[in-house]
Amino acid sequence: MSDTPQVLLAHHLKALRLPTFLREYDKLARQCAAEGVDHSRYLLRLAELEMIDRERRTVERRIKEARFPAVKSLDSFDFAAIPSLNKTLVLELARSEYVTRRENVIAVGNSGTGKTHIALGLGLAACQKGLPVGFTTAAALVNELHEAHDEKRLQRLQRQLAGLKLLIVDELGYVPLSQTGAELLFEVFSQRYERGSIIVTSNLPFDEWTGVFGSERLTGALLDRLTHHVHILEMNGDSFRLKHSRGQIVEEQPPQEPD
């Protein structure tokens, strides 16, 4: 019978979804008793542990749901290698307040300059704020939209995308879109206008986007919506990947024999 309170307490804490309470209450009770801490401060410590653990689990869930191809933080980005990039603006964006204001971010620059890394870093920062984030490439999103359209579930997919506070669309411009694909992607962007934030990365300047969407009218309407509330990150410079490859080639070359 002496174990009954503990059994019932464990049952209730599980039902209330308080796993940290369940795991820590006994150990913390002994610690607080040894320190002479009163019951209210004991409960406060337990509640704080539960809150911290719950926030950690929320962040982990958000990161998993975002479907990042890799988890990268801004701490590991080499800002010195891309002088054209406004580091102050990027660090300000990492606070994720632009998401609350439903503003957009467009990172434009030649290939290999770290646009995806920046997008992933900003996405991770938003997840750490507990915000729902989704990551995809433009080509993958268009394919997904095509499939949903053909399978009569387009509206459901559109609702799922609309539920994201931040949608990251990587590599816009790498693959030209069909007319239907361009219209489907435009619809996604249009539905998010002033309702949710978008991060877009592209290797093309804006005046070349018509070649991707195949229509000046559609491109103009898209840019009008995307750039109404926007932060533009210019990322032109030498390719990180090319630099790395060159460095490896130099390291792997055998030393030359003297003539």
Side-chain angles (χ1 to χ4, degrees):
M1 293 294 292
S2 60
D3 291 336
T4 300
Q6 284 77 12
V7 172
L8 288 174
L9 180 58
H11 172 77
H12 294 330
L13 289 175
K14 287 178 181 177
L16 291 169
R17 298 182 180 178
L18 298 172
T20 308
F21 259 68
L22 178 58
R23 186 177 66 249
E24 301 291 341
Y25 80 90
D26 189 49
K27 179 177 68 176
L28 188 60
R30 291 195 299 269
Q31 180 182 334
C32 287
E35 295 174 3
V37 174
D38 62 32
H39 68 280
S40 60
R41 292 185 181 276
Y42 161 66
L43 288 173
L44 175 60
R45 289 189 188 180
L46 263 182
E48 288 173 342
L49 288 173
E50 186 68 53
M51 287 294 295
I52 291 169
D53 204 38
R54 184 168 295 185
E55 288 172 2
R56 177 188 58 78
R57 294 195 303 272
T58 298
V59 169
E60 290 175 351
R61 185 177 71 254
R62 294 298 187 199
I63 292 172
K64 183 178 180 180
E65 291 172 347
R67 297 192 295 179
F68 297 131
V71 178
K72 293 188 177 183
S73 71
L74 296 173
D75 293 338
S76 60
F77 187 82
D78 185 5
F79 285 94
I82 308 294
S84 64
L85 179 60
N86 186 338
K87 179 180 179 180
T88 301
L89 174 57
V90 173
L91 297 181
E92 173 65 24
L93 292 172
R95 297 170 62 183
S96 301
E97 293 176 359
Y98 72 98
V99 180
T100 306
R101 297 191 297 265
R102 301 179 181 87
E103 297 168 352
N104 302 323
V105 178
I106 302 178
V108 181
N110 46 296
S111 297
T113 52
K115 298 184 296 297
T116 299
H117 189 151
I118 290 294
L120 288 169
L122 293 176
L124 177 62
C127 286
Q128 290 169 339
K129 299 289 186 181
L131 299 170
V133 177
F135 181 99
T136 183
T137 64
L141 178 56
V142 169
N143 286 337
E144 190 174 5
L145 290 165
H146 267 299
E147 290 176 2
H149 179 268
D150 294 342
E151 296 170 6
K152 312 296 184 186
R153 54 180 179 85
L154 181 59
Q155 287 188 342
R156 187 170 70 212
L157 175 58
Q158 289 173 334
R159 285 195 298 269
Q160 290 172 352
L161 294 171
L164 299 171
K165 294 295 184 182
L166 173 62
L167 174 63
I168 302 173
V169 181
D170 196 27
E171 299 181 346
L172 180 67
Y174 285 75
V175 180
L177 305 176
S178 67
Q179 180 181 346
T180 302
E183 291 172 354
L184 288 169
L185 187 58
F186 171 80
E187 186 66 20
V188 170
F189 287 170
S190 182
Q191 288 174 351
R192 296 190 66 79
Y193 177 59
E194 295 190 330
R195 296 187 184 94
S197 294
I198 306 173
I199 294 178
V200 175
T201 75
S202 178
N203 63 328
L204 298 177
F206 294 142
D207 58 5
E208 295 183 24
W209 282 28
T210 303
V212 178
F213 289 91
S215 163
E216 290 187 8
R217 178 190 59 79
L218 194 65
T219 305
L222 173 68
L223 285 172
D224 182 60
R225 286 161 174 77
L226 275 180
T227 61
H228 186 202
H229 307 289
V230 72
H231 304 274
I232 297 176
L233 303 177
E234 296 183 5
M235 299 184 63
N236 287 304
D238 293 333
S239 167
F240 286 131
R241 291 187 288 271
L242 186 57
K243 282 183 180 179
H244 181 69
S245 298
R246 286 172 176 168
Q248 283 187 323
I249 291 170
V250 170
E251 290 175 2
E252 291 171 2
Q253 283 180 341
Q256 297 294 319
E257 293 292 335
D259 294 333

